[in-house]
Each structure stands twice: as C-alpha cells, then as structure tokens.
Amino acid sequence: MKRVDIIISGGGMIGSIAAVAASQQGLSVLLIEAQSTSTIKQDSPRDLRVSAISADNINYLKELGIFAHLLQDRVQPYSKMQVWDNRGDGEIAFETDYAQQDYLGYLMENNNLVQAAWNTLNGHCQSVQQTQIKTIENEGAQIRVELSNGDKYKSRLLIAAEGRNSFVRAFAKIKTKETPYYQKGLVAYIKIENAPTQTALQAFNTGGPIGILPINNTEKIYSIVWSLPEKQADEWLQCEQQTFEQGVTKAIGKDFGQITLLSKRAAFPLTQLYAQDYFKNRIVLCGDSAHGVHPLAGQGVNLGIGDIQLLLKVIDASVLKDDDLLHQALRKYQRRRIWKVKETSEMMSILHHLFKDDEHIKKPLRNIGLKVVNALPFKKWLANQAGS
Ligand SMILES: Cc1cc2nc3c(=O)[nH]c(=O)nc-3n(C[C@H](O)[C@H](O)[C@H](O)COP(=O)(O)OP(=O)(O)OC[C@H]3O[C@@H](n4cnc5c(N)ncnc54)[C@H](O)[C@@H]3O)c2cc1C
C-alpha cells in the first residue's frame, strides 16, 4: 500500500488547483481524475464553459505559478462591469477602483485553467487519470482507498473535488439540500460588433439574466451565459441561428451592433446545492462537491478557490497527524466556508427571484434594488464578493 499525505479525488479546476497548493506546501499528494484531461493549444476549438475569476483569485493563481501556464492568448482581463434591467431604468456600473487592481478579474475557458494547473503540477505530485476510487475506509488516523486500477493508497486526508455528483460525499453519507431553480444556463460564443471593451455585461429580463463576457476583445468574441426557464432554454438551443441571434439581441436590449453566433450552444440545469457538513472524519469537501450556486454572478469557481485557500491555511503536516488538531481545523474550515457560501448563494437567489419574473409589484423593488446596489458600500461588497 502506497502512502501520501493527501488524496484528492477530482482533477477539475478545484481539485487540480488544490493539488498544486498542497504540493507547494510540502505535502505529498495523489490526484485522481475520472476522465482524461484534454490538451488544448492556441488553435483548439473553444471550451463552451467559461469562468470569471476574480482579481484576488488571479493573484492566488499567480502565486501558485498556475497563471503563467495559462494559454495567454485565450484569457481576457476585464476592468468594468455594467448591469441593467431591461424593464426599468436601473443600471449599475462597477469599475476597478472597487477592487483596487488594474482589473476586476479575468475570463478564461475552464479547460485552459485545468490544463494550466495540471502543467504546474508536472512531476510535483502523483496523479492518475481515467481512474476512480472504488472503496474507502474512513476510520481512525488513516484513510485507505482502493482505486479502479487496483492500486491501494493510505493518506491522512481525502479531499472530494468531484463536482456536484460526488462519489466520496455519497460514501461519507454527507447529506445535501438541493433546490432547483427550474432554469438552465445556456452557453455559447457570439461576436458583438460594438460592445464596450474589457467590460463584463449583464442584462436582467423576464425569465432570467443574460451575462455577456468578453473573452477576446480584439476579435470581439463574447461568451454568453443565458439563464432561462427550462422549456425556453430548450427552444433557444434548437432554433435557427438567425432566430437565436435575434433572441440574444433582444435579451441584451442595447444597441451594440450586429450579433453573430460563433459556436454550438449547450445548456446546464441550474440548482442551488448545499452539503450539510463539509467533512466527515478524514474526508473533506471542496468546490461544487460542497456547494452549487446560481451562475448569475459567476461565483462557483471563486468560492471553490476560497475553500482551498482556507483549507490549506488551517492544515499542515503536523495538524494532519493529530486527530484532535485535524478535527479542530476542519471544524473551523466548515464553519467559515458554510457561512460564506450561504451568504453568497442566498444573495444570488434573492437577485434571481427579484428579477426573473414580470410581477408588477417587483418592478419598483427591482429599480430600487439596482439603485441601492449602485450606492456604496453595497456595490463595493458585491465587487469584492468574488474574491472570497
Ligand atoms: C452555465 C454555468 C456558468 C458558470 N459560470 C461560472 C463563472 O463565470 N464563474 C465561476 O466562478 N463559476 C461559474 N460556474 C460554476 C463553475 O462551473 C463550477 O463552480 C466549477 O466547475 C466547479 O469546479 P469543481 O472543480 O468543483 O467541479 P467540476 O468542474 O465539476 O470538476 C469535477 C472534476 O472531478 C471529476 N470527477 C467527478 N467524479 C469523479 C470521481 N468519482 N473520481 C475522480 N474524478 C471525478 C470530473 O471529471 C471533473 O474533472 C458556472 C456554472 C454553470 C452551470
């Protein structure tokens, strides 16, 4: 049986960043990924999944050396945000002063970030792909696992970063509370002739918001995340290109010139998910295995990075060896992250419910809402959210 300090199950964005951070802290790590990670080059087709990573988390990726491994032609900083409601006169604008940086964040394809983290790891930790954990023993001072390739490992901690449907979380019998929004997030790439540059845009409409994220300013390419009732999302997925372009133009509601669809369309069901506990003995949850939030403010990955930062702050080699110290550390992690996630997720839910339908009574509230958001210090709080 081989031995490492930490096993991480799930080598997506959060698991691979956690592996880099733990290795750099001097801990020995085994990273297990069920799929094979794709290799992308400058000219590879774009990943439809795009994330907005906050300025603070970009700094963290720089400290870890991950940022330097990103394909730089395929990332885009943004320094402004513009949010408006197409049914009222409310509008808010964020600029970089709120983040005290040159930029509010960076936009990047999910597989660019995953590849960069795996490349940073190269040789610094053990890793396997197309492999999963088959069995787990989670009692006493060690955790023991058997992998689908027959290898056996023991470690001091098992981090589940397997996304929403976590096998390890289910094994640990950690309950979840999942609330459907009865919506899907439709994603695609579009070209917009005259949209403001370096600006993340969001328009609220009946049905849900559309986020328009600049992924390449030079070529005027934007990634959209359009939150829609499930049936409408399916219709927009299947309609003719021209009809779709007209629909997007109407959902944006401002005249930014010609809009052209550049890619396939895909849609993901949107649900709010809370794990009721974040750890069980020597198993701990990070990222979407612990929480799922509405994508209207692009917080999922940012919250996951916040999990990793805190987890690796409260544990080290000596804490891992001591049952009492470890449980104390994991309790602290759980307490702080559950609170942080709840605060962010509930705020997203309030915005979602306030803006999604056309109820007359909500109209003045929406206008007041945007005006309140536009006033400090709430705007500053919102602008800084992604960094936590
Ligand atoms: C439409 C949409 C738009 C979004 N936009 C944003 C945004 O702009 N900004 C943002 O911050 N967030 C955004 N999110 C949320 C973000 O995508 C997630 O929060 C993020 O993917 C979570 O990363 P993760 O690594 O925890 O999980 P995942 O990305 O789901 O990765 C999990 C990994 O674990 C692997 N795995 C699964 N099961 C096993 C197993 N049993 N054994 C081993 N490996 C396993 C998977 O293959 C995968 O590689 C968006 C979400 C949606 C739906």
Side-chain angles (χ1 to χ4, degrees), residues 53-55 78-81 94-96 99 102-106 383:
I53 310 290
S54 72
Y78 64 99
S79 53
K80 293 179 202 145
M81 269 178 83
F94 293 162
E95 297 216 14
T96 42
D102 294 341
Y103 47 81
L104 282 169
Y106 268 74

Side-chain angles (χ1 to χ4, degrees), residues 9-10 12-14 33-35 49 52 132 162-163 288 298 300-302:
S9 184
M13 291 183 281
I14 298 311
E33 168 54 43
Q35 312 286 322
R49 298 287 301 264
Q132 298 182 39
E162 302 170 328
D288 274 23
V301 185
N302 289 298

Side-chain angles (χ1 to χ4, degrees), residues 82-86 90-91 201-204 252 254 256 370:
Q82 232 179 294
V83 182
W84 64 93
D85 182 6
N86 279 323
E91 175 144 354
L201 307 163
Q202 177 133 281
F204 284 99
I252 293 174
K254 283 190 190 283
F256 292 141
L370 281 180

